[in-house]
Amino acid sequence: MAVRVAPLTRRELEVAQLASTGISSKEIAARLYVSARTVDNHLRSVYVKLGITSRTALTDALGRD
């Protein structure tokens, strides 16, 4: 189980939830009106905060089925 070192921001949580569904950074960026690079930066921050290393771990880390 992942341990949070800091709370996620609203935007980080939004990006993480979308990424956990399997959609690409480019698709997330289009939905949120930001660049894919911004999405990837948010995901890197999320990984550090949740103590994970990949998108595949997001579903468990977010406590979603």
Side-chain angles (χ1 to χ4, degrees):
M1 181 149 132
V3 177
R4 286 191 185 181
V5 295
L8 299 180
T9 66
R10 180 186 57 80
R11 185 60 114 187
E12 288 170 344
L13 181 57
E14 188 174 23
V15 168
Q17 289 172 331
L18 288 169
S20 73
T21 67
I23 64 174
S24 70
S25 292
K26 186 175 179 178
E27 291 171 309
I28 295 168
R31 287 187 189 192
L32 301 180
Y33 303 103
V34 298
S35 72
R37 185 174 185 147
T38 297
V39 170
D40 291 338
N41 286 337
H42 282 307
L43 286 173
R44 274 192 287 283
S45 179
V46 168
Y47 296 163
V48 169
K49 289 180 178 183
L50 297 180
I52 60 175
T53 58
S54 68
R55 285 180 185 236
T56 56
L58 280 172
T59 301
D60 288 338
L62 295 174
R64 301 176 78 191
D65 294 327

